[in-house]
Amino acid sequence: MAFLAEQLKRIKPSATIAVTDKARALKLAGRNVIGLGAGEPDFDTPDNIKEAAVKAIRDGKASKYTNVDGIAELKEAVCRKFKTENGLDYKPSQISVGTGGKQVLYNAFVATLNPGDEVIIPAPYWVSYPEMVMLAGGEPVEVKTTMESGFKMSAEALERAITPKTKWLLLNSPSNPTGAAYTKSELKALTDVLVRHPHVHVLTDDMYEHLVYDDFEFFTPAQIEPRLYERTLTLNGVSKAYCMTGWRIGFAGGPEPLIKAMAMIQSQSTSNPSAVSQWAAVEALNGPKDFIPKHNKIFKERRDLCVAMLNQAKGIQCPKPEGAFYVFPSCAGTIGKTAPTGKTLTTDEDFVTELLEAEGVAVVQGTPFGLGPAFRISYATATTSVQEACERIQRFCGNLR
Ligand SMILES: Cc1ncc(COP(=O)(O)O)c(C=O)c1O
């Protein structure tokens, strides 16, 4: 009898982690490698947040277990955030805090999916979505989008994907990996469809809410369509905008029975998220936010630099996204060409492998995100490195035969 569980056969390891590992190995071997694979800000956690954490430790607030799905102070801060930033009214009993947005998402799927239940996931998507759905026993249903549509799902495509088995629509705007974000009217077209299908719930992953550029205005589904409020789980966290990926705090607001079920799962698996991190998150949400526009100014410069330089690379087409810190260029124009090693590029995996080999630039191939041939660049790294990496990509593409 096999030792490992059957369902693991459906799960793939994370492509983003694989690339990061490969780049690390090359660096250790002495190569000059620029890593554009990691999905986290290069900025440090702001000092006021660090200080709040130190104070919590000194005051003895970090020594003990806390309430399983979040301390009261954090739940109140999250309620305030949803009210002031998104116009959403949630009570503390409607808030779940977990170890990163990732755990909150996973809890939601475990709490709701029965075998055969479908989750609609627009592609390209964050690599963890389909795998999480499958681990929880559900069926991911991909809806492909195109570069021409700005990687956004149309109302018609959503309508076509809905079946009697659909349990969730999983939305992520701004998106990892494309950076694409839905405008108010684009989102309204989708929520209009959902209003007609009362059995479909909405899980909206708003993790990159604050990382939008060029005066783009962020909206979340329950804010646009109050009739969806009762069947929406609004997910967010401090990881990206507050530069706190290592602290592991994510949260969601939603219907009380779902939040209770998620708390039960958490109580029997990991218990409370780290106490010290929760106090840090309280300060993140309640404290000054002036660093966010400062960071965004730098992110926007890097995005514009990437888009301009990549569009000058032979065979690459790079749309300009609204937010996050990713671009998702097509490398279709390089497929069929030959790399300096003599290898013919037949897939985007070949493209990224040969790019790393020839020029020491680590990016992630698009196919694991649900759309290829393409690749994802995270520009959350020093501007000089982003520029150098884009020069190397231009040279790599120019040298293909
Ligand atoms: C779209 C999206 N959602 C959720 C997460 C998870 O965030 P956390 O680090 O808080 O678990 C990530 C992290 O990469 C992400 O890109």
Side-chain angles (χ1 to χ4, degrees), residues 39 100-102 126 129 172 176 205 207-208 239-240 248-249:
K102 220 167 187 174
W126 180 38
Y129 290 152
N172 173 218
N176 176 3
D205 179 345
M207 199 54 85
Y208 295 91
S239 295
K240 311 288 174 169
R248 312 305 304 129
I249 295 291

Side-chain angles (χ1 to χ4, degrees), residues 90-378:
Y90 287 117
K91 298 195 289 277
S93 57
Q94 292 179 279
I95 302 298
S96 179
V97 180
T99 301
K102 220 167 187 174
Q103 185 183 24
V104 180
L105 264 169
Y106 187 62
N107 284 345
F109 289 137
V110 172
T112 56
L113 294 179
N114 292 311
D117 282 352
E118 294 174 355
V119 179
I120 297 175
I121 307 177
Y125 43 72
W126 180 38
V127 283
S128 296
Y129 290 152
E131 315 303 307
M132 273 195 195
V133 167
M134 287 191 282
L135 273 174
E139 298 297 326
V141 174
E142 286 182 31
V143 176
K144 295 261 188 226
T145 66
T146 61
M147 196 161 86
E148 292 69 36
S149 70
F151 302 114
K152 291 174 199 171
M153 181 175 63
S154 67
E156 297 72 34
L158 171 59
E159 185 83 59
R160 276 197 302 274
I162 293 173
T163 75
K165 289 185 166 174
T166 308
K167 190 143 243 175
W168 290 104
L169 162 65
L170 177 43
L171 276 179
N172 173 218
S173 166
S175 150
N176 176 3
T178 65
Y182 288 85
T183 63
K184 188 178 187 183
S185 63
E186 287 165 345
L187 213 45
K188 180 74 169 66
L190 299 182
T191 59
D192 284 350
V193 173
L194 295 167
V195 167
R196 294 197 296 275
H197 297 277
H199 70 291
V200 180
H201 296 70
V202 187
L203 209 171
T204 177
D205 179 345
D206 300 346
M207 199 54 85
Y208 295 91
E209 165 180 11
H210 291 294
L211 305 180
V212 290
Y213 316 115
D214 304 324
D215 301 323
F216 181 90
E217 216 181 329
F218 171 87
F219 289 94
T220 190
Q223 175 186 21
I224 290 184
E225 179 47 84
R227 283 176 290 178
L228 293 181
Y229 173 84
E230 283 299 333
R231 47 185 164 114
T232 298
L233 186 68
T234 306
L235 179 97
N236 214 311
V238 291
S239 295
K240 311 288 174 169
Y242 297 91
C243 311
M244 294 177 69
T245 47
W247 297 78
R248 312 305 304 129
I249 295 291
F251 50 79
E256 224 173 88
L258 171 60
I259 296 295
K260 265 196 185 146
M262 288 162 63
M264 184 174 69
I265 292 162
Q266 198 156 297
S267 76
Q268 300 292 22
S269 51
T270 60
S271 287
N272 64 273
S274 152
V276 63
S277 298
Q278 292 188 67
W279 285 106
V282 170
E283 172 62 19
L285 294 179
N286 291 344
K289 296 179 174 42
D290 50 333
F291 59 88
I292 295 180
K294 285 183 196 151
H295 291 172
N296 282 3
K297 187 166 173 284
I298 298 169
F299 281 142
K300 177 188 145 51
E301 279 166 17
R302 292 177 187 165
R303 177 203 61 174
D304 293 346
L305 183 72
C306 276
V307 171
M309 291 186 73
L310 291 171
N311 278 321
Q312 283 164 21
K314 238 171 143 181
I316 304 294
Q317 232 187 319
C318 184
K320 188 192 269 191
E322 292 86 355
F325 37 65
Y326 308 107
V327 289
F328 196 74
S330 162
C331 57
T334 67
I335 300 300
K337 295 193 173 170
T338 307
T341 56
K343 164 110 185 139
T344 301
L345 307 182
T346 55
T347 62
D348 51 16
E349 189 171 0
D350 290 343
F351 178 89
V352 306
T353 306
E354 293 300 317
L355 173 65
L356 184 56
E357 189 55 47
E359 294 287 351
V361 175
V363 299
V364 191
Q365 68 273 25
T367 302
F369 296 99
L371 196 75
F375 58 101
R376 186 193 78 170
I377 282 184
S378 163

